[in-house]
Amino acid sequence: MRSHLLAHLLYLLLAAGRDVTGKEVDRKPNFVLMMVDDLGIGDVGCYGNDTIRTPNIDRLASEGVKLTQHIAAAPLCTPSRAAFMTGRYALSSGLGSTGRVQVLLFLGGSGGLPPSETTFAKRLQQHGYTTSLVGKWHLGVNCEHRGDHCHHPNQHGFSYFYGLPFTLFNDCVPGQGSDILADLQHALRNLTMLLGVGLFTLVCVHVCGLFEVSLWLFVALFFLSILATAVWYMPFKLLPTWNCIIMRNQEVIEQPMTVETLPQRLLGEAQNFIKRNVDNPFLLFFSLAHVHTPLFKTPAFAGKSRHGRYGDNLEEVDWMIGKITETVDSLGLANNTLMYFTSDHGGHLEDADSIIGQKGGWNGIYKGRNHLTSFLVGKPWEGGRGGIRVPGIFRWPGRLAAGRVVDEPTSLMDLYPTLKYLAKDTQPDRQSDGYNLMPLLEGKVERSEHEFMFHYCGIYLNAVRWHPPGSDAVFKVHFFTPNFSPPGAGGCYDTKVCLCHGDHVTHHSPPLLYDLFHDPSESRPLTPYTEPRYAEILEQTAKAVERHQNTLTNKQASDDTHSHPNADVPSVQSQMTWDKILWRPWLQPCCGTFPFCGCKEDTTHI
């Protein structure tokens, strides 16, 4: 009798064990994606920096897989993040620029990631994932009226959003100057002052009786002065109120935001989301506000690094990455969680002043390092703000071998198909420009599927890299390059802005050609005399460009098709035109009654 009872209990225990094991095996993996803003690849210890302390990021690399040729799809925030979210080049969603402005400038504009677009968050949400974005968005909010939230993260697959619908920029901190269309601000201010002086002069002339002035002239000049003042003052002088806000889901909870406590709040929200979803498959996109300028002055890190305030900020980033990793590990989620660390594009080296010192990052040996103010820049080089080579680290204990290094070309756009594959999403989808990375990360294949990669400056194709089958070489072909100034400099120091069109670029016929395997700094262009495959490389690249352009299901219009033969044929509405970029009061997110917007989040719990 006793033996029969013991056998029955043993059977029940084994059955329960099989049930638990089965659930564990069947459970989909969690995803924690961590993206820094404007981080230079040369700033991180595991990528060669031995003076800035990044032990937690380095630990992710030592426990996982490090990518050495991880490439952003665009050289600036808005188009790079659009490509990352959708797995497609930014021009496919209308977020490639045709002119000066290459990122969204106002939360009160109507441009953004179109509602019809599909993001990896939306796909995972449809497959049972709880999804969250904590931090920076910078892909628009409203389309036609305040509150339609057509571009908002909640409409693009994120169940929960807390953070900056725009970005952190200098206008958010008093005394740091302005990033948004500074020259236009200056012109409008001068026009306003000129009209004011003119009106005052006419009044004085009329009062002194020097000559008669028509009343209609007074009235017209008065209202013109009022209009000019409104056009200048409302959108630009109140930028901290309009752009520097924090939202929780679709509610504005702080306007303007208190920058000093932002890092702690973002970190706390990210940790709490993980803790709330221990028992459910989840996606967390932790999109840090660091290390975009203005730099933080958190007391615990101020003055602690060897590289001024920028180094302090990066060491704070590393601490935050460590806290997220600690949260995942302490909850027993490590073996079922893919963690990913990267940057949206390269750092901007030349941003410095005599008080703070270096404000931007270091991109190692890679070319193209320059600071380009006013959010307006584009370069095809590997390094720099406007550069495209970024850190890429994956950790998944038990699934990915620790300490593995992958020297193959990969892209931020690869995250979309990789997450779909791991979530067992086999539903029909539009064509992606990325590839599933898991075979490469797990060592099942040695070669990247990216034989060709295409580099855009706005909507203009300015460079292509080719990784020939059976070869270690990675050739890069430049169709045009920006005109740096002064001559010999590594950026547009004279104009403070590099553009992608017209007289701002130099076209190359034949194109410039480099071998990144032997010349990663792009300092020695190849010629028919130094490279036996020269003609073949140009021929294969030209054919690849033609095939690539035929695969673009959505194509964005160009205003400069004559100067750029690689510009695409119109068929998708551009989100980067002036009428979509500029501020419109009826689109402005606001807590309170517009225009008297203002509120503060209760941070006593932090």
Side-chain angles (χ1 to χ4, degrees):
M1 180 69 180
R2 180 179 295 177
S3 61
H4 178 72
L5 181 61
L6 288 174
H8 183 65
L9 288 173
L10 180 61
Y11 172 79
L12 291 175
L13 287 171
L14 288 173
R18 282 196 300 271
D19 184 59
V20 171
T21 304
K23 288 181 179 179
E24 196 66 35
V25 170
D26 292 340
R27 180 177 172 180
K28 295 177 180 178
N30 307 310
F31 306 112
V32 176
L33 315 179
M34 299 170 289
M35 177 177 282
V36 186
D37 197 355
D38 287 17
L39 175 66
I41 191 171
D43 292 327
V44 183
C46 58
Y47 283 92
N49 192 302
D50 58 3
T51 57
I52 297 180
R53 294 166 295 189
T54 57
N56 295 297
I57 299 172
D58 299 344
R59 176 193 162 198
L60 288 179
S62 66
E63 295 179 357
V65 180
K66 181 179 74 172
L67 309 178
T68 63
Q69 294 192 58
H70 202 40
I71 306 299
L76 279 175
C77 303
T78 296
S80 174
R81 290 167 181 267
F84 172 70
M85 295 295 304
T86 65
R88 303 194 300 166
Y89 291 101
L91 77 166
S92 294
S93 52
L95 286 165
S97 170
T98 62
R100 172 182 176 180
V101 178
Q102 300 192 47
V103 300
L104 301 178
L105 299 181
F106 295 96
L107 274 179
S110 63
L113 190 63
S116 58
E117 264 299 336
T118 302
T119 66
F120 56 68
K122 190 177 291 186
R123 300 290 298 201
L124 266 59
Q125 191 180 55
Q126 293 168 354
H127 283 74
Y129 275 78
T130 303
T131 57
S132 173
L133 167 58
V134 174
K136 170 177 173 173
W137 174 239
H138 207 180
L139 291 173
V141 177
N142 297 315
C143 286
E144 297 181 357
H145 58 84
R146 182 182 306 115
D148 66 29
H149 298 119
C150 68
H151 302 306
H152 191 277
N154 288 159
Q155 304 301 324
H156 283 293
F158 289 103
S159 312
Y160 180 74
F161 170 65
Y162 176 93
L164 294 72
F166 189 61
T167 185
L168 181 66
F169 67 123
N170 283 328
D171 297 72
C172 297
V173 177
Q176 293 296 315
S178 179
D179 283 326
I180 306 296
L181 301 174
D183 57 339
L184 180 59
Q185 290 191 51
H186 183 72
L188 289 173
R189 184 178 69 246
N190 288 345
L191 176 61
T192 301
M193 293 175 63
L194 183 63
L195 289 171
V197 170
L199 180 62
F200 178 76
T201 302
L202 285 179
V203 171
C204 291
V205 166
H206 180 73
V207 170
C208 294
L210 296 179
F211 61 83
E212 286 296 320
V213 180
S214 168
L215 177 62
W216 290 109
L217 181 59
F218 275 122
V219 172
L221 197 55
F222 173 77
F223 281 106
L224 190 59
S225 300
I226 295 297
L227 178 62
T229 301
V231 169
W232 162 59
Y233 191 88
M234 284 292 288
F236 291 112
K237 299 306 290 183
L238 299 178
L239 269 175
T241 298
W242 305 144
N243 279 357
C244 305
I245 73 174
I246 296 176
M247 298 182 77
R248 176 176 280 113
N249 292 321
Q250 298 178 5
E251 178 187 3
V252 179
I253 61 171
E254 186 159 291
Q255 188 175 19
M257 65 182 172
T258 302
V259 173
E260 290 75 14
T261 59
L262 183 61
Q264 302 96 306
R265 286 187 276 174
L266 294 180
L267 175 61
E269 288 284 342
Q271 290 177 301
N272 288 336
F273 174 80
I274 296 173
K275 294 173 183 177
R276 290 196 305 268
N277 290 280
V278 171
D279 297 323
N280 306 300
F282 65 82
L283 161 72
L284 169 64
F285 178 23
F286 187 33
S287 179
L288 285 79
H290 298 69
V291 285
H292 199 291
T293 53
L295 298 171
F296 291 97
K297 296 182 285 187
T298 306
F301 298 92
K304 300 297 178 61
S305 80
R306 294 168 56 184
H307 288 276
R309 193 175 295 175
Y310 180 83
D312 298 343
N313 273 244
L314 186 50
E315 293 187 359
E316 183 175 17
V317 167
D318 182 77
W319 174 78
M320 295 171 75
I321 299 301
K323 297 306 268 185
I324 294 293
T325 307
E326 178 183 303
T327 301
V328 170
D329 292 353
S330 65
L331 294 172
L333 300 174
N335 289 343
N336 196 44
T337 301
L338 176 66
M339 300 189 69
Y340 170 65
F341 174 83
T342 191
S343 175
D344 58 354
H345 54 76
H348 48 125
L349 181 65
E350 290 79 3
D351 194 2
D353 62 39
S354 58
I355 299 175
I356 296 177
Q358 185 66 34
K359 294 182 181 179
W362 182 59
N363 299 290
I365 62 175
Y366 303 111
K367 189 174 183 178
R369 304 178 297 271
N370 82 316
H371 172 224
L372 298 139
T373 60
S374 303
F375 291 105
L376 312 168
V377 54
K379 297 192 305 301
W381 307 113
E382 298 290 294
R385 181 146 194 231
I388 53 177
R389 191 177 296 221
V390 295
I393 299 171
F394 289 86
R395 189 195 81 150
W396 191 351
R399 183 76 182 262
L400 301 181
R404 178 174 168 80
V405 178
V406 174
D407 293 321
E408 291 288 297
T410 57
S411 170
L412 264 65
M413 294 184 292
D414 294 335
L415 265 292
Y416 183 101
T418 302
L419 298 183
K420 277 186 54 184
Y421 167 79
L422 292 171
K424 296 182 173 60
D425 178 358
T426 59
Q427 298 301 312
D429 199 1
R430 74 277 191 282
Q431 181 171 337
S432 173
D433 293 312
Y435 295 97
N436 174 22
L437 285 175
M438 287 307 294
L440 195 62
L441 296 177
E442 292 180 299
K444 295 179 180 178
V445 299
E446 295 297 324
R447 300 277 302 186
S448 166
E449 292 190 66
H450 285 287
E451 181 181 350
F452 293 94
M453 295 181 76
F454 304 91
H455 306 305
Y456 284 89
C457 183
I459 69 165
Y460 307 119
L461 182 64
N462 60 351
V464 177
R465 71 205 303 131
W466 180 36
H467 187 31
S471 171
D472 290 330
V474 178
F475 296 107
K476 190 173 179 184
V477 175
H478 291 261
F479 300 116
F480 69 87
T481 51
N483 295 328
F484 291 162
S485 59
C492 304
Y493 291 91
D494 289 348
T495 61
K496 302 300 182 183
V497 55
C498 285
L499 300 175
C500 307
H501 63 286
D503 296 333
H504 301 286
V505 299
T506 296
H507 292 266
H508 302 287
S509 182
L512 291 179
L513 176 61
Y514 297 94
D515 182 355
L516 297 180
F517 182 78
H518 296 101
D519 179 26
S521 61
E522 298 174 86
S523 58
R524 300 187 302 274
L526 302 176
T527 69
Y529 306 102
T530 60
E531 174 52 57
R533 304 181 65 180
Y534 184 88
E536 178 194 358
I537 295 167
L538 297 186
E539 179 183 1
Q540 292 295 331
T541 301
K543 292 179 179 179
V545 168
E546 183 177 359
R547 292 194 300 270
H548 164 66
Q549 293 183 335
N550 288 334
T551 66
L552 294 173
T553 54
N554 291 331
K555 300 179 181 180
Q556 185 178 325
S558 163
D559 296 326
D560 196 21
T561 54
H562 294 294
S563 62
H564 287 279
N566 294 319
D568 289 273
V569 179
S571 69
V572 65
Q573 185 179 23
S574 174
Q575 301 294 312
M576 303 300 294
T577 57
W578 283 108
D579 67 306
K580 287 186 173 290
I581 290 294
L582 293 179
W583 184 73
R584 300 179 184 182
W586 59 90
L587 296 178
Q588 176 61 49
C590 177
C591 61
T593 302
F594 184 87
F596 307 105
C597 308
C599 54
K600 288 296 178 184
E601 182 185 17
D602 181 10
T603 58
T604 55
H605 61 285
I606 299 179

